[in-house]
Amino acid sequence: MDFTISAEHQQLRTTLREFFEAEAPIDEVARFDRDEEFNSELYRKAAGLGLCGMGFGEEYGGSDADQISICIAVEEVARASAALAYAWLPTATFCAKGIARFGTDEQKKEILPKVADGTVRIAMGLSEPEAGSDLTHLSTRAVRDGDDFVINGQKVFTTGADTADYIFAFVRTDPDASASKGLSVLLIPKGTEGVTVQPLRKLAGQATHTCEVFLHDVRVPKENLVGELGRGSSIIFGLMDAERIYVGAEGTGLGQGALDMALKYARERVQFGKPIIEHQAVAHMLADMAMDVQTSRLITWQAAWKLEQGLDCTMEASMAKVHGSEAGTRCAGRGMQILGGYSYMVEYGMERYWRETKLYEIAGGTNQIMRNMIAKQLGRRGL
Ligand SMILES: Cc1cc2nc3c(=O)[nH]c(=O)nc-3n(C[C@H](O)[C@H](O)[C@H](O)COP(=O)(O)OP(=O)(O)OC[C@H]3O[C@@H](n4cnc5c(N)ncnc54)[C@H](O)[C@@H]3O)c2cc1C
């Protein structure tokens, strides 16, 4: 067993860290969130570094990046801006990956090179008002009509739907079949008649809007079906382990950002005649943050390694998701305490982490559902 990080992985982290420190400073990220304005220039520049092609192969402009590289990239994006993470991850690591694995040659040739160069973004339309954790209740219906599908229903929390070029929509194509046989995925292009997108006000990452999507007699050609008819749930299950690992990496990256910020502050801030890092209560908070970041990274990378090897990693991915997201929340909370009153001030950036981190405990499968899955796996195979 070798825990040494490779030179390539280290270089990737350094490149991304320097890029985001230059291109996404705290005040710029805060401004875009305050104005609720998507930063498409930053997105395209990030794509220029190869970020958007990490989910698929070179033949479509991607990079066949290994899972540890993707985790490092996710950490660095989450450290820089949740809004960027909310636009990038569904596009590159879920929807584009889904097209690469399950889509037709035409879909791959048409869409993936544009995802890789940052000109196309895709929103993930899974959640519905009555179907959050319980996806068996998805009710958005698609009916075949000649060469088209006609879609009626509603999605909620579809992040980036208002600016995305496609919605990767999970729809029910057979109302009588079980969820494992009755769901399919259809690509709904931007501007399709009958689609109404309504951004919702939210707590964090506001520069990428999270939206309600109303679908009324929306007609898309049959060529927009991704994967086999009725096999949408295999797409969910085929991509979810990776998604959960990446949410763990988001929590890790945010925790690292909070730790770096708190450490710098604790070295500089003097109270009672010495830097506050020399007060044991503060030093212990920093030590706890460091342990949280370290354990999250290890558990996330272990799951990523298993995924890379093609091994069953459902339990490890769920653990990575829970541990990484909760570690991120603990780190942001301790960071707030260490910065004292200044933590409340937008220009310091800690309050942004504090607001952003909660989502990672909820999205991608709530941490309660993840614990259910861990317990189920434990029952089957122990640890
Ligand atoms: C900012 C934001 C962005 C999002 N982006 C997207 C997106 O781009 N695309 C998309 O499809 N979705 C997105 N989501 C939706 C997200 O994935 C869901 O919020 C999540 O799956 C939980 O569903 P829910 O909110 O309906 O909660 P519910 O499923 O209603 O759960 C409510 C509570 O009950 C608990 N609970 C439910 N069932 C069980 C159970 N069996 N055992 C134990 N506890 C249970 C949950 O853990 C939770 O605490 C986003 C959400 C947010 C907030």
Side-chain angles (χ1 to χ4, degrees):
M1 192 176 291
D2 182 357
F3 286 97
T4 319
I5 185 168
S6 74
E8 290 77 23
H9 288 139
Q10 188 54 53
Q11 185 55 48
L12 175 67
R13 190 186 292 287
T14 305
T15 304
L16 292 175
R17 181 76 56 93
E18 287 172 0
F19 170 80
F20 285 120
E21 281 178 357
E23 299 289 341
I26 292 168
D27 51 343
E28 274 289 281
V29 172
R31 186 171 66 79
F32 280 107
D33 277 346
R34 187 196 61 216
D35 297 344
E36 303 197 5
E37 187 189 321
F38 184 69
N39 190 341
S40 47
E41 196 190 334
L42 176 65
Y43 190 90
R44 270 198 292 276
K45 282 186 182 168
L49 289 179
L51 270 187
C52 296
M54 288 184 112
F56 49 89
E58 283 177 20
E59 55 189 314
Y60 300 110
S63 63
D64 279 322
D66 65 273
Q67 293 298 328
I68 300 292
S69 296
I70 300 179
C71 287
I72 290 172
V74 173
E75 278 190 31
E76 293 305 315
V77 172
R79 186 180 187 276
S81 157
L84 181 66
Y86 298 168
W88 169 62
L89 276 162
T91 296
T93 67
F94 192 91
C95 303
K97 187 80 167 284
I99 293 168
R101 272 183 67 181
F102 301 98
T104 62
D105 284 345
E106 288 69 30
Q107 288 165 354
K108 292 179 205 175
K109 281 185 209 145
E110 168 64 22
I111 298 173
L112 297 183
K114 294 179 191 159
V115 167
D117 72 15
T119 51
V120 158
R121 293 194 303 279
I122 313 173
M124 198 231 297
L126 184 56
S127 303
E128 294 182 1
E130 302 306 325
S133 302
D134 182 4
L135 296 173
T136 61
H137 279 78
L138 285 176
S139 65
T140 293
R141 184 83 170 89
V143 177
R144 186 71 188 267
D145 181 29
D147 284 342
D148 298 332
F149 283 98
V150 178
I151 312 167
N152 280 285
Q154 186 187 342
K155 295 288 169 184
V156 72
F157 301 136
T158 319
T159 301
D162 54 338
T163 55
D165 300 275
Y166 295 93
I167 298 173
F168 191 88
F170 287 82
V171 294
R172 189 169 283 282
T173 40
D174 183 345
D176 301 321
S178 64
S180 62
K181 298 215 173 83
L183 300 179
S184 304
V185 172
L186 288 171
L187 286 167
I188 305 176
K190 185 180 188 169
T192 304
E193 201 176 323
V195 180
T196 308
V197 180
Q198 184 65 47
L200 298 159
R201 304 300 305 280
K202 64 177 176 177
L203 179 67
Q206 299 95 325
T208 300
H209 302 160
T210 293
C211 306
E212 286 180 297
V213 178
F214 301 92
L215 303 159
H216 181 68
D217 288 339
V218 174
R219 195 169 273 275
V220 297
K222 67 179 190 318
E223 288 73 22
N224 286 22
L225 178 71
V226 180
E228 288 175 44
L229 188 70
R231 300 310 301 267
S233 58
S234 346
I235 299 185
I236 301 176
F237 292 120
L239 300 173
M240 267 305 176
D241 282 342
E243 196 61 19
R244 287 170 182 154
I245 294 169
Y246 305 151
V247 178
E250 286 182 297
T252 309
L254 187 148
Q256 179 76 61
L259 171 62
D260 295 342
M261 217 178 255
L263 189 57
K264 180 171 183 296
Y265 186 84
R267 283 187 180 125
E268 291 168 0
R269 175 73 171 170
V270 174
Q271 289 292 282
F272 297 95
K274 57 186 179 184
I276 60 170
I277 195 172
E278 292 178 24
H279 296 296
Q280 194 182 48
V282 173
H284 282 186
M285 283 193 276
L286 289 163
D288 286 338
M289 291 168 83
M291 287 190 282
D292 262 334
V293 172
Q294 185 77 343
T295 50
S296 296
R297 189 168 289 135
L298 288 172
I299 200 172
T300 303
W301 285 8
Q302 189 213 12
W305 175 83
K306 285 193 93 171
L307 181 69
E308 184 85 42
Q309 305 303 312
L311 300 169
D312 174 11
C313 64
T314 297
M315 180 159 70
E316 289 78 3
S318 306
M319 287 178 170
K321 199 267 176 190
V322 171
H323 189 79
S325 60
E326 293 180 2
T329 300
R330 286 192 294 270
C331 285
R334 289 187 172 113
M336 290 291 287
Q337 202 63 28
I338 291 171
L339 265 68
Y342 295 96
S343 68
Y344 246 65
M345 303 302 134
V346 173
E347 66 178 288
Y348 282 78
M350 192 62 85
E351 58 81 39
R352 178 169 65 78
Y353 284 149
W354 195 52
R355 288 182 290 110
E356 286 173 354
T357 185
K358 188 65 196 172
L359 178 64
Y360 303 139
E361 296 182 41
I362 296 169
T366 68
N367 283 7
Q368 287 71 40
I369 298 294
M370 293 300 96
R371 285 183 165 90
N372 290 348
M373 294 186 71
I374 294 165
K376 198 168 164 190
Q377 296 286 320
L378 276 176
R380 274 195 197 139
R381 63 175 167 104
L383 182 65

